[in-house]
Amino acid sequence: MRILVINPFGDTEFYGEENLARVARPDTEFDMVNIADVYPLRNNQWLYFRYVCTDGTLEKVLWAEREGYDAVFVSCSLDIGLHEARQLVDIPVTATLESAALVAHMMGATYSLVTVDHQNGKMQESLLETYGLHEHFASQRPFDIDASDLYPDRTPSGEVVEAVVGAARACVEEDGAEVVIPACTLAGSVLTHDVPDVEEVIGAPVLDGMVTGFKMAEMMADLRAAGVPTVSRRGWFERPPQKDFAALRTFMGRHV
């Protein structure tokens, strides 16, 4: 199995390849790419930035299908381009927040997000409502470190862990969360890498959305290989008309 992992911003997640290599099946190969060729920033946590990132992400998804990948995982808690990608390709496409929230629903009655800031958290709450996964949502608490400052060259990992753990504990102790999701892959990857006993430290299971989304991609690829469609083409994920799609792609000078 071959999976393309897309960082939909202008850098690659530290610890990402290391953490995923630990959980990948022996028969799974993966490549990790970013969109630095079309987007220069290390973060995408603002509404306009998210919009700008989407096009470059979708180009990587289309390329992955042409190159024969079995699945794509969009490694970002804003799930950049997730639904758009599912309209365009037949291989499964997963993303971080949706995957983590789906698994959280199986693990407990309530879950919370720890977010980079309140604005970003509101964007993610909106996504949960779109997914129909908001009913068991307990809270979102920011740990107040900008995504572009989560890299080790800007903020020591120990400071990131302290901030994220503090917000997560409040979600459990004050908001009643039974599961906690670090709603930034950079923060989740630090916890996975540096805090092996994170459930004991926080008081509840913590879902690293990068790991969850990657394993979901493996599972969806298995289901497709077993003959289960990746998405329903009736309604929400109906493909655009091929004629119009080809005309638009040709106009933009892109591969049809």
Side-chain angles (χ1 to χ4, degrees), residues 9-238:
F9 40 84
D11 208 335
T12 300
E13 290 157 327
F14 57 93
Y15 301 149
E17 291 193 36
E18 181 180 344
N19 288 343
L20 294 182
R22 288 204 298 262
V23 301
R25 295 184 338 204
D27 64 337
T28 298
E29 299 177 359
F30 68 91
D31 297 306
M32 183 173 284
V33 298
N34 59 44
I35 59 168
D37 56 333
V38 295
Y39 183 83
L41 304 178
R42 289 171 127 184
N43 68 342
N44 55 14
Q45 69 208 61
W46 307 97
L47 287 166
Y48 176 63
F49 293 7
R50 176 187 173 196
Y51 170 79
V52 174
C53 286
T54 301
D55 183 66
T57 302
L58 294 176
E59 289 302 313
K60 298 292 187 187
V61 173
L62 289 164
W63 175 84
E65 185 170 60
R66 294 196 301 269
E67 291 296 309
Y69 284 90
D70 298 293
V72 172
F73 165 49
V74 180
S75 188
C76 172
S77 295
L78 288 176
D79 293 1
I80 303 292
L82 176 61
H83 282 180
E84 294 88 342
R86 287 178 177 161
Q87 275 200 339
L88 297 179
V89 298
D90 289 324
I91 59 174
V93 182
T94 66
T96 306
L97 181 64
E98 183 192 54
S99 297
L102 284 167
V103 174
H105 268 61
M106 293 189 289
M107 293 177 63
T110 57
Y111 70 98
S112 290
L113 307 180
V114 287
T115 61
V116 295
D117 57 35
H118 184 70
Q119 182 271 154
N120 195 242
K122 297 306 291 184
M123 292 167 65
Q124 290 161 333
E125 281 192 58
S126 176
L127 288 173
L128 294 173
E129 291 174 349
T130 298
Y131 300 153
L133 298 173
H134 195 272
E135 182 179 355
H136 295 170
F137 176 73
S139 64
Q140 64 105 347
R141 285 184 177 258
F143 54 85
D144 292 321
I145 302 176
D146 187 278
S148 59
D149 291 330
L150 287 170
Y151 294 84
D153 62 343
R154 300 287 292 273
T155 305
S157 294
E159 292 184 21
V160 174
V161 169
E162 182 179 1
V164 175
V165 166
R169 279 176 172 163
C171 290
V172 174
E173 296 169 4
E174 299 178 34
D175 305 331
E178 297 180 11
V179 182
V180 176
I181 301 171
C184 176
T185 51
L186 297 169
S189 66
V190 170
L191 289 185
T192 294
H193 186 270
D194 289 358
V195 189
D197 57 345
V198 66
E199 180 176 354
E200 181 177 343
V201 170
I202 290 173
V206 175
L207 281 176
D208 182 341
M210 189 189 302
V211 170
T212 310
F214 181 82
K215 298 302 287 185
M216 191 74 74
E218 285 184 329
M219 182 191 73
M220 292 301 294
D222 282 342
L223 287 174
R224 184 174 186 238
V228 179
T230 300
V231 296
S232 170
R233 294 297 181 199
R234 183 179 178 86
W236 184 236
F237 294 122
E238 181 180 356

